[in-house]
Structure formats: structure tokens, C-alpha cells
Amino acid sequence: MARTGLSKEEVAQARAGLLAQGQYPSVDAVRVALGNTGSKTTIHKYLKELDEGQGGASPAGVRPSTISDALHDLVERLAARLRQESDDQLDLARAELAEKEQQLAQANRQLESELRSTREQEARLQTELRQQRLAFNIKQDELAQLSKESSRIATELAHTQQSLYEQLTNARKLEQKVEQLQAQQRHTGDLERQLATSIAHNERLGEQVAAMESALAPAQARARELELLLVQAEARAQIQEQVGEQLRAYLDRMAARD
């Protein structure tokens, strides 16, 4: 199992030991010298830095014994670079996905808060609307009662025409009832206008809720797209890893034949 914390000095010591033995310091050879520990990517990076420190030249007096060894070392280095690039791409995709998920979560929380507030306001308006409808029904009942009362007064007036005094008295009562009826009718009209205003406001709130839900859809679609990109990047990394392993196996077989 690869251990963590492999240092450049350890790689340099293993490399120097191999050179002292007249062996070419490939990634696999250095890893074996380290006790089969350490990441090949890390070993490759340190070996490259050590080679560059010597001007990019091969170690003096030590070169790959065969073309297969040279190809094997090249494949190891390319595989390490591919793994590093794949890791970098995966880290970048994960970071972007995490940022988008955070933005989406924040947008969701804000929309949910606004939606709760809108629904609470809608509930209050619905309660007020029911109360206004109840008051309207009560006023309608009162209006019906007043209409009945007006009819009754008219009937009484017809029966009391014998006396002028009684007739004038009943007329004044009737006028008062008519004024009350008109006042009730005006009040009923006010209630009807208030009811229409409440219904229109409730419809506007419904449109705002629909707009909020529509605004959330692009963010969810972008999150799904990023998840797909992450899956594709991981698939490419696996394919590259498999290609590197197949190349190493082939070169190992070629080396065994030699």
C-alpha cells in the first residue's frame, strides 16, 4: 500500500542507490527500492525534477538496457502524467460541481423562504376572503330581511290609508327603511369591490410563485449537466488507467521474451 509523505530526498536516495548498482532508475525500480511504497505519480514528479536539475541528461554511464526498458520507462512516465492530468481534471470538475451545488442550495433556500412567505400571505388573504364572504352573506340576509320588511310596511300602508295621520307616520317609517336599505346596498357594493381586489391580488401571488419555480429550473439543469461531466471525466480517467496498464503488461511480456 502506498504510504503518504514521500519526500524528494527519499526518491533521490533510492535513485542514487540504483545508479550506484549500475541500474537504470525507472519509476518501478525506484518504487521497489523504496519497499514498494509511494505513489508512482509522486515518484515520477520527483525523478523529473532530479533529471531537470541535471540539465535533462540521462544518468552518466547508466541507460535503459533495451528498447523495451526505455519504452517501459516512457510508458510509466506517460501513465503517471495521464493520472496526474486526470486527477487535476477531476478535482476541477468536483470543485465546480461543489460551487454550483452550493449556489443551487442557496437559491433553493431563498426560493423556499420566499415561497413560504408567499403561501403564508396567501393563507391570510384566503382567511380574509372567507371572512368577507361570510360578512357579505350576512349582509345579503339582512338585505333580504329588509326587503321583506319593506313589503310588510307597504302592505300595512295599504291597510292604514283610512287615517291620514297613520298614513303619514307609516310613510316616514317607510322612508327610513328605504334609506337603511340603500345604505346597506352601498355597503354591499363596497364589499363586492373589496372581494374583487382580494381575488386579483391572490392571482398575482400565484403568478409570482410560478415565476419562482421557473427560475429554479435552469440551476437544476446546470447541476445535472455538471454531474454528467463529472461522470464522463471519471470514465476517461478509468480508460486512461486501463490503457496504461495494458501498455505496461505488453512491455513486460516483451521484456520477458528478451
Side-chain angles (χ1 to χ4, degrees), residues 10 21 34 41 49 57 67 70 85 107 118 128 140 147 160 164 168 186 190 199-200 203 206 210 220 233 237:
E10 291 174 318
Q21 298 172 14
L34 290 170
T41 302
E49 292 176 359
I67 295 176
E85 291 178 355
T118 301
E128 294 177 1
Q140 281 186 326
S147 297
T160 57
L164 178 60
L168 293 175
R186 288 192 297 271
D190 294 337
I199 291 173
E203 290 177 351
Q220 293 175 337

Short mmCIF file of all heavy atoms in Angstrom, two decimals, residues 10 21 34 41 49 57 67 70 85 107 118 128 140 147 160 164 168 186 190 199-200 203 206 210 220 233 237:
data_model
loop_
_atom_site.label_atom_id
_atom_site.label_comp_id
_atom_site.label_asym_id
_atom_site.label_seq_id
_atom_site.Cartn_x
_atom_site.Cartn_y
_atom_site.Cartn_z
N GLU A 10 14.00 11.10 -0.24
CA GLU A 10 13.93 9.64 -0.26
C GLU A 10 14.04 9.11 -1.69
O GLU A 10 14.71 8.10 -1.96
CB GLU A 10 12.62 9.17 0.38
CG GLU A 10 12.58 9.42 1.88
CD GLU A 10 11.23 9.09 2.47
OE1 GLU A 10 10.21 9.43 1.82
OE2 GLU A 10 11.18 8.47 3.54
N GLN A 21 24.44 0.89 -8.31
CA GLN A 21 24.41 -0.52 -8.69
C GLN A 21 24.43 -0.72 -10.20
O GLN A 21 24.36 -1.84 -10.68
CB GLN A 21 23.16 -1.19 -8.10
CG GLN A 21 23.13 -1.17 -6.59
CD GLN A 21 21.80 -1.68 -6.04
OE1 GLN A 21 21.01 -2.27 -6.77
NE2 GLN A 21 21.58 -1.44 -4.75
N LEU A 34 12.23 1.61 -2.75
CA LEU A 34 11.59 2.25 -1.59
C LEU A 34 10.72 1.27 -0.81
O LEU A 34 10.00 1.70 0.10
CB LEU A 34 10.74 3.43 -2.06
CG LEU A 34 11.50 4.65 -2.58
CD1 LEU A 34 10.54 5.65 -3.22
CD2 LEU A 34 12.28 5.33 -1.45
N THR A 41 2.93 8.50 -9.32
CA THR A 41 2.85 9.89 -9.80
C THR A 41 3.85 10.79 -9.07
O THR A 41 4.56 11.60 -9.67
CB THR A 41 1.43 10.43 -9.62
OG1 THR A 41 0.51 9.59 -10.33
CG2 THR A 41 1.31 11.85 -10.15
N GLU A 49 12.08 16.15 -11.63
CA GLU A 49 12.76 17.31 -11.06
C GLU A 49 14.25 17.05 -10.90
O GLU A 49 15.09 17.94 -11.15
CB GLU A 49 12.13 17.67 -9.71
CG GLU A 49 10.70 18.20 -9.82
CD GLU A 49 10.07 18.45 -8.46
OE1 GLU A 49 10.74 18.18 -7.43
OE2 GLU A 49 8.91 18.90 -8.43
N ALA A 57 19.75 15.52 -18.74
CA ALA A 57 20.54 14.42 -19.29
C ALA A 57 20.28 13.15 -18.53
O ALA A 57 19.89 13.17 -17.36
CB ALA A 57 22.02 14.77 -19.23
N ILE A 67 15.47 -1.51 -25.67
CA ILE A 67 14.40 -0.60 -26.11
C ILE A 67 13.16 -0.81 -25.26
O ILE A 67 12.43 0.14 -24.93
CB ILE A 67 14.11 -0.82 -27.60
CG1 ILE A 67 15.33 -0.43 -28.43
CG2 ILE A 67 12.89 -0.03 -28.03
CD1 ILE A 67 15.17 -0.69 -29.91
N ALA A 70 13.41 1.14 -22.19
CA ALA A 70 13.18 2.56 -22.45
C ALA A 70 11.69 2.84 -22.66
O ALA A 70 11.14 3.81 -22.14
CB ALA A 70 13.98 3.00 -23.68
N GLU A 85 -2.95 14.40 -14.80
CA GLU A 85 -3.88 15.27 -15.53
C GLU A 85 -5.32 14.87 -15.25
O GLU A 85 -6.20 15.74 -15.12
CB GLU A 85 -3.59 15.18 -17.02
CG GLU A 85 -2.26 15.83 -17.42
CD GLU A 85 -1.98 15.68 -18.91
OE1 GLU A 85 -2.77 14.99 -19.59
OE2 GLU A 85 -0.98 16.25 -19.38
N ALA A 107 -29.84 29.21 -3.57
CA ALA A 107 -31.02 29.66 -4.33
C ALA A 107 -32.27 28.92 -3.87
O ALA A 107 -33.35 29.51 -3.76
CB ALA A 107 -30.79 29.44 -5.83
N THR A 118 -44.87 33.73 0.76
CA THR A 118 -45.99 33.93 -0.16
C THR A 118 -47.19 33.08 0.23
O THR A 118 -48.34 33.53 0.20
CB THR A 118 -45.55 33.59 -1.60
OG1 THR A 118 -44.46 34.44 -1.96
CG2 THR A 118 -46.69 33.84 -2.57
N GLU A 128 -59.04 36.17 5.12
CA GLU A 128 -59.76 37.44 5.00
C GLU A 128 -60.89 37.34 3.97
O GLU A 128 -61.98 37.89 4.17
CB GLU A 128 -58.79 38.56 4.60
CG GLU A 128 -57.76 38.87 5.68
CD GLU A 128 -56.78 39.93 5.23
OE1 GLU A 128 -56.94 40.42 4.07
OE2 GLU A 128 -55.86 40.27 6.00
N GLN A 140 -76.33 40.11 2.82
CA GLN A 140 -77.38 39.70 1.88
C GLN A 140 -78.64 39.24 2.63
O GLN A 140 -79.77 39.54 2.23
CB GLN A 140 -76.86 38.59 0.96
CG GLN A 140 -75.99 39.08 -0.17
CD GLN A 140 -75.63 37.97 -1.12
OE1 GLN A 140 -75.46 36.82 -0.73
NE2 GLN A 140 -75.48 38.32 -2.40
N SER A 147 -85.88 43.67 2.67
CA SER A 147 -86.85 43.64 1.56
C SER A 147 -88.21 43.12 2.04
O SER A 147 -89.27 43.64 1.67
CB SER A 147 -86.32 42.75 0.44
OG SER A 147 -85.11 43.29 -0.08
N THR A 160 -103.65 50.93 6.09
CA THR A 160 -103.86 52.05 7.03
C THR A 160 -104.10 53.38 6.32
O THR A 160 -103.83 54.46 6.87
CB THR A 160 -102.63 52.18 7.92
OG1 THR A 160 -101.47 52.37 7.11
CG2 THR A 160 -102.44 50.96 8.80
N LEU A 164 -105.16 59.65 7.77
CA LEU A 164 -104.09 60.44 7.19
C LEU A 164 -102.89 60.49 8.13
O LEU A 164 -101.74 60.39 7.69
CB LEU A 164 -104.59 61.86 6.89
CG LEU A 164 -103.55 62.83 6.32
CD1 LEU A 164 -103.01 62.30 5.00
CD2 LEU A 164 -104.14 64.22 6.15
N LEU A 168 -99.28 59.16 7.11
CA LEU A 168 -98.05 59.94 7.12
C LEU A 168 -96.98 59.31 8.01
O LEU A 168 -95.78 59.29 7.68
CB LEU A 168 -98.36 61.37 7.58
CG LEU A 168 -99.23 62.22 6.64
CD1 LEU A 168 -99.58 63.57 7.26
CD2 LEU A 168 -98.52 62.41 5.30
N ARG A 186 -75.21 50.17 -0.58
CA ARG A 186 -73.91 50.80 -0.81
C ARG A 186 -72.80 50.04 -0.10
O ARG A 186 -71.71 49.84 -0.65
CB ARG A 186 -73.96 52.27 -0.35
CG ARG A 186 -74.78 53.19 -1.25
CD ARG A 186 -74.51 54.64 -0.90
NE ARG A 186 -74.94 54.95 0.46
CZ ARG A 186 -76.16 55.37 0.81
NH1 ARG A 186 -77.10 55.54 -0.14
NH2 ARG A 186 -76.46 55.63 2.05
N ASP A 190 -69.45 48.06 -1.67
CA ASP A 190 -68.07 48.20 -1.18
C ASP A 190 -67.46 46.84 -0.91
O ASP A 190 -66.29 46.57 -1.24
CB ASP A 190 -68.03 49.06 0.09
CG ASP A 190 -68.43 50.51 -0.19
OD1 ASP A 190 -68.31 50.93 -1.36
OD2 ASP A 190 -68.85 51.19 0.76
N ILE A 199 -59.33 38.91 -4.77
CA ILE A 199 -59.17 37.82 -5.74
C ILE A 199 -58.05 38.14 -6.73
O ILE A 199 -57.21 37.28 -7.05
CB ILE A 199 -60.50 37.57 -6.48
CG1 ILE A 199 -61.54 36.98 -5.50
CG2 ILE A 199 -60.30 36.62 -7.66
CD1 ILE A 199 -62.92 36.86 -6.08
N ALA A 200 -57.98 39.37 -7.22
CA ALA A 200 -56.93 39.77 -8.15
C ALA A 200 -55.55 39.68 -7.50
O ALA A 200 -54.59 39.22 -8.11
CB ALA A 200 -57.19 41.18 -8.66
N GLU A 203 -54.44 36.09 -7.30
CA GLU A 203 -53.98 35.60 -8.61
C GLU A 203 -52.55 36.07 -8.90
O GLU A 203 -51.72 35.32 -9.44
CB GLU A 203 -54.93 36.08 -9.70
CG GLU A 203 -56.31 35.40 -9.64
CD GLU A 203 -57.27 35.95 -10.68
OE1 GLU A 203 -56.89 36.97 -11.32
OE2 GLU A 203 -58.37 35.39 -10.84
N GLY A 206 -50.15 33.92 -7.06
CA GLY A 206 -49.97 32.62 -7.74
C GLY A 206 -49.00 32.74 -8.91
O GLY A 206 -48.17 31.85 -9.14
N ALA A 210 -45.30 30.78 -9.46
CA ALA A 210 -44.94 30.06 -10.70
C ALA A 210 -43.63 30.60 -11.28
O ALA A 210 -42.80 29.84 -11.77
CB ALA A 210 -46.07 30.19 -11.72
N GLN A 220 -31.14 23.81 -11.67
CA GLN A 220 -31.18 22.36 -11.55
C GLN A 220 -30.64 21.68 -12.80
O GLN A 220 -29.93 20.67 -12.71
CB GLN A 220 -32.63 21.92 -11.29
CG GLN A 220 -33.16 22.37 -9.93
CD GLN A 220 -34.62 22.04 -9.73
OE1 GLN A 220 -35.35 21.87 -10.72
NE2 GLN A 220 -35.05 21.94 -8.50
N ALA A 233 -15.66 12.55 -16.98
CA ALA A 233 -14.25 12.73 -16.63
C ALA A 233 -13.72 11.50 -15.90
O ALA A 233 -12.61 11.04 -16.15
CB ALA A 233 -14.07 13.98 -15.77
N ALA A 237 -10.76 8.92 -17.10
CA ALA A 237 -9.63 8.59 -16.24
C ALA A 237 -9.47 7.08 -16.12
O ALA A 237 -8.35 6.56 -16.14
CB ALA A 237 -9.83 9.21 -14.87
#
